[in-house]
Amino acid sequence: MSLGEFELIQRYFVRKPDDWPGHPQLGHSQVCLGIGDDAALLELPPGERLVVTTDTLVAGRHFPHDAAAVDIGWKALAVNLSDLAAMAARPLGVTLNLTMPEANESWLAAFARGFWGLADIADVPLIGGDTTRGPLSVTITAIGCVEESVALKRGGAQAGDLICVTGSLGDAGAGLALAMSSAEMAGISDDDRAYLLDRLHRPMPRLLEGAYLRGIASAGLDISDGLLQDLGHLLKASNVGAELAVEQLPLSEPLQAYAATSSAALLQVRRWALSAGDDYELLFTLAPARARLLPQLRYTVIGKITPTAGLRLTAHGKPWEHDSLAGYQHF
Amino acid sequence: MSLGEFELIQRYFVRKPDDWPGHPQLGHSQVCLGIGDDAALLELPPGERLVVTTDTLVAGRHFPHDAAAVDIGWKALAVNLSDLAAMAARPLGVTLNLTMPEANESWLAAFARGFWGLADIADVPLIGGDTTRGPLSVTITAIGCVEESVALKRGGAQAGDLICVTGSLGDAGAGLALAMSSAEMAGISDDDRAYLLDRLHRPMPRLLEGAYLRGIASAGLDISDGLLQDLGHLLKASNVGAELAVEQLPLSEPLQAYAATSSAALLQVRRWALSAGDDYELLFTLAPARARLLPQLRYTVIGKITPTAGLRLTAHGKPWEHDSLAGYQHF
């Protein structure tokens, strides 16, 4: 990077204490030394464990080459914070490695707007990073903390536990179909279209929901690859099986409305909810007796854990199968 | 990545407890939960601060497209561990984000050999990462720890402090000239050539040296961009100036031998030592009275800190200037 580019990066990514509305003196209290030295120094609350996760998004693979920079900035951060939420962790800071073909100011400004839009909501400081020239890609590493005894791990689900999800499922799958100008949902309203595209491009990491689950859920993870695939990871790590009731899958109002239009639409919506990725909701298991410990959390029970391996789908109590899901149903 | 590629990654990057020679039971003691969940869990020693740094290496920019994979694996880790060393920190773990055009097994095996070659020497576990398809680049984020009161920061140098460096300078610059088949050093021996190329391709992060400097050096950083440029960062952060004696610059035996061949060669060697990057030695300042606290550390005094801003170069007590360095001498 040339000096001019360096200054451009500084302008959009290095914040001064005055830039932190809630922290007028020092920025985030856990940051002892921010950007500008060889490395950042962070304080970890006593007794807590460090939680570390990282994801790379590559242009042309994880987002289209012409994707809006504001969405890339938001989503690259969101997918990493979602992994912290999936551990019931609190974010301490993130690093940002941005590789760009050129330092285009309007692109950078939009990217920064998306990044900080979510970073400010999640109250997470940028503690370091690297800017390099090359084909567009974004790597974010998120660092958080949680007490080990209450961290949300994948193993730990027990037979009889309820299977639960936050929010609604399938929205990002529907959003992707809309973004790719699929023939489906041709009659959808502008508001519903905007909602579904927003769910695809600007997922909201479930940090607060993850925090509620500390020490209460028996196992959990975030749904990034689709419900069935991610549930498969949880079942494998916990060495159990599951029954899912497809009529219980939580659907947003736009998807409920679309599902009501035809049986083909209902089937399509269920396929999105079961196997499309990118929803970034939390999937967790809960001993029935502990459900009363979550009065504040909105979630939906979609099934229960069974003692023997394998996954069985039902609709209104009867077995439910569909060829297009065959690859996911047995592991 | 397809399942086959996923298994390839697993083979080279996921280690089982038995793979850790020194830690037969659990791997590294600070790793509570390794690769395989949504995020890793790490323990931070009580009273210490977290140190976080990250660097991206892009093919065609930071290394040639045909660079040996074993060297890329080593160097991508080395440059990040060097930043931890520059804070006097101890490494706790690293994450590795590898973007590759294809999952080529022989390339991956060589990359892993380089990566683990250094990771095992530095005793640092791989705690997470991401593998994506795209133009070749490597991002590593290194996490370490240090007590805040003894961390090695850039500010803190005082007038009268000695300016010191570990190891020798200019080797990587000479190695780069050799790698690019420069006309310089045409008569060099095979052993000397191998040494200089090794210094370029496989820098050794000065973690042990950084640990010695805890609470003793007044300021410090690692030399990645060249002595003059990195010294400039230290002087600016400390709000002081410096005098450097170019005849004191520590040179390896191969560079001493080459410098003795002609006055042009001596000048070239000094230019490499002053302004070529990639040596990854530590540059630090030291109150003269504290020098006795470092009996175990090998280092060279190359100058002293002055109260007023600016940098003055001398050779045997006389002012020393050279046009090709003019850009670096005033800041």
Side-chain angles (χ1 to χ4, degrees):
Chain A
M1 293 278 140
S2 72
L3 191 62
E5 292 173 5
F6 180 76
E7 284 164 352
L8 214 51
I9 303 297
Q10 290 258 328
R11 179 179 314 162
Y12 290 108
F13 293 109
V14 180
R15 287 183 162 187
K16 297 182 187 63
D18 290 348
D19 295 337
W20 301 105
H23 304 80
Q25 291 302 315
L26 290 168
H28 288 72
S29 58
Q30 72 271 22
V31 181
C32 314
L33 181 66
I35 292 172
D37 213 299
D38 296 290
L41 283 188
L42 281 187
E43 183 170 3
L44 186 68
E48 303 212 358
R49 294 289 183 264
L50 201 60
V51 184
V52 183
T53 184
T54 184
D55 268 301
T56 298
L57 303 188
V58 179
R61 182 148 292 263
H62 301 95
F63 55 85
H65 285 283
D66 61 353
V70 63
D71 292 337
I72 301 170
W74 178 290
K75 193 160 182 176
L77 180 57
V79 301
N80 280 286
L81 295 183
S82 182
D83 276 326
L84 293 187
M87 300 296 289
R90 182 166 70 82
L92 288 175
V94 297
T95 58
L96 167 64
N97 300 61
L98 185 54
T99 302
M100 304 180 280
E102 54 174 357
N104 175 313
E105 177 158 6
S106 67
W107 192 94
L108 259 179
F111 179 91
R113 202 164 62 244
F115 177 88
W116 289 113
L118 178 56
D120 285 344
I121 290 173
D123 195 31
V124 56
L126 180 65
I127 58 167
D130 193 13
T131 312
T132 49
R133 189 161 315 183
L136 182 62
S137 81
V138 187
T139 293
I140 286 181
T141 304
I143 295 171
C145 61
V146 67
E147 284 181 47
E148 189 176 8
S149 61
V150 299
L152 194 57
K153 300 174 186 172
R154 296 179 174 197
Q158 304 280 335
D161 283 356
L162 306 173
I163 300 172
C164 312
V165 289
T166 59
S168 57
L169 297 177
D171 292 331
L176 184 62
L178 289 170
M180 298 176 73
S181 308
S182 150
E184 284 143 354
M185 309 190 78
I188 191 174
S189 74
D190 286 351
D191 279 358
D192 285 359
R193 171 187 293 270
Y195 166 83
L196 293 171
L197 288 173
D198 203 56
R199 287 274 289 161
L200 171 67
H201 293 311
R202 304 220 191 177
M204 184 61 73
R206 300 303 185 192
L207 289 161
L208 205 60
E209 290 80 353
Y212 275 123
L213 297 176
R214 282 179 199 146
I216 296 176
S218 51
L221 40 57
D222 65 328
I223 304 177
S224 53
D225 297 330
L227 172 62
L228 292 182
Q229 195 165 333
D230 288 314
L231 177 59
H233 297 316
L234 186 152
L235 298 180
K236 192 177 171 194
S238 298
N239 197 27
V240 291
E243 276 182 22
L244 277 195
V246 295
E247 80 279 9
Q248 302 291 343
L249 295 171
L251 303 176
S252 63
E253 286 185 19
L255 286 197
Q256 286 180 36
Y258 177 61
T261 59
S262 73
S263 61
L266 174 63
L267 178 60
Q268 179 60 69
V269 166
R270 284 181 175 169
R271 286 171 59 183
W272 283 328
L274 288 166
S275 59
D278 271 3
D279 280 326
Y280 297 101
E281 297 293 348
L282 296 184
L283 169 68
F284 60 96
T285 57
L286 189 63
R290 314 206 90 182
R292 65 181 173 77
L293 300 176
L294 292 172
Q296 308 270 2
L297 184 66
R298 295 182 58 147
Y299 64 94
T300 306
V301 176
I302 58 172
K304 69 175 186 208
I305 297 293
T306 57
T308 50
L311 173 63
R312 206 165 67 95
L313 298 181
T314 64
H316 305 288
K318 294 177 188 158
W320 189 87
E321 294 213 7
H322 193 270
D323 287 350
S324 67
L325 296 171
Y328 293 105
Q329 291 186 46
H330 308 289
F331 32 77
Chain B
M1 293 277 139
S2 71
L3 192 63
E5 291 172 5
F6 180 76
E7 284 164 351
L8 213 52
I9 303 296
Q10 289 258 329
R11 180 179 313 162
Y12 290 108
F13 293 109
V14 180
R15 288 183 160 186
K16 296 181 188 65
D18 290 349
D19 295 336
W20 301 104
H23 303 81
Q25 291 301 317
L26 290 168
H28 287 72
S29 59
Q30 72 271 23
V31 181
C32 314
L33 180 67
I35 292 172
D37 213 301
D38 295 290
L41 283 188
L42 281 186
E43 184 170 1
L44 185 69
E48 302 210 358
R49 294 290 183 264
L50 200 60
V51 184
V52 183
T53 184
T54 185
D55 268 302
T56 298
L57 304 188
V58 179
R61 183 148 291 264
H62 301 96
F63 55 85
H65 284 285
D66 62 353
V70 63
D71 292 336
I72 301 170
W74 178 291
K75 193 160 182 175
L77 180 57
V79 300
N80 280 286
L81 295 183
S82 182
D83 276 325
L84 293 187
M87 300 295 289
R90 181 165 70 82
L92 287 175
V94 297
T95 57
L96 167 64
N97 300 61
L98 185 55
T99 301
M100 303 179 283
E102 54 174 357
N104 175 312
E105 178 158 7
S106 67
W107 191 94
L108 259 180
F111 179 91
R113 202 163 64 243
F115 177 89
W116 289 113
L118 177 56
D120 286 345
I121 290 173
D123 195 31
V124 57
L126 179 65
I127 58 166
D130 193 13
T131 312
T132 48
R133 190 166 308 189
L136 182 61
S137 82
V138 187
T139 293
I140 286 181
T141 304
I143 295 170
C145 61
V146 68
E147 283 181 47
E148 188 174 7
S149 61
V150 300
L152 193 57
K153 300 175 188 173
R154 295 179 174 197
Q158 304 279 335
D161 284 356
L162 307 174
I163 300 173
C164 312
V165 289
T166 60
S168 56
L169 296 177
D171 292 333
L176 184 63
L178 289 170
M180 297 176 73
S181 308
S182 150
E184 284 143 354
M185 310 189 79
I188 191 174
S189 74
D190 286 351
D191 279 358
D192 284 358
R193 169 186 294 271
Y195 165 83
L196 294 171
L197 287 172
D198 203 55
R199 286 275 289 162
L200 171 67
H201 294 311
R202 305 219 194 179
M204 184 62 74
R206 300 303 187 192
L207 289 162
L208 204 61
E209 290 80 353
Y212 275 123
L213 297 176
R214 282 180 201 144
I216 295 175
S218 52
L221 40 57
D222 66 328
I223 304 177
S224 53
D225 297 329
L227 172 61
L228 292 183
Q229 194 165 333
D230 289 314
L231 177 59
H233 297 315
L234 186 151
L235 298 180
K236 191 176 171 196
S238 299
N239 198 26
V240 291
E243 275 182 25
L244 277 194
V246 296
E247 80 279 8
Q248 301 292 343
L249 295 170
L251 302 177
S252 63
E253 287 185 18
L255 285 198
Q256 286 180 36
Y258 177 61
T261 59
S262 72
S263 62
L266 174 64
L267 177 61
Q268 178 59 70
V269 166
R270 285 181 176 168
R271 287 171 57 184
W272 282 327
L274 287 166
S275 59
D278 270 3
D279 279 325
Y280 297 100
E281 297 293 348
L282 295 185
L283 169 69
F284 60 97
T285 57
L286 189 64
R290 314 205 89 181
R292 64 180 173 78
L293 299 176
L294 292 171
Q296 308 270 2
L297 183 66
R298 296 183 56 147
Y299 64 94
T300 306
V301 176
I302 59 172
K304 69 174 186 212
I305 296 293
T306 57
T308 50
L311 174 64
R312 206 165 66 94
L313 299 180
T314 63
H316 305 289
K318 293 177 189 160
W320 189 87
E321 292 212 9
H322 193 269
D323 287 349
S324 68
L325 296 171
Y328 293 106
Q329 289 185 46
H330 308 287
F331 30 77

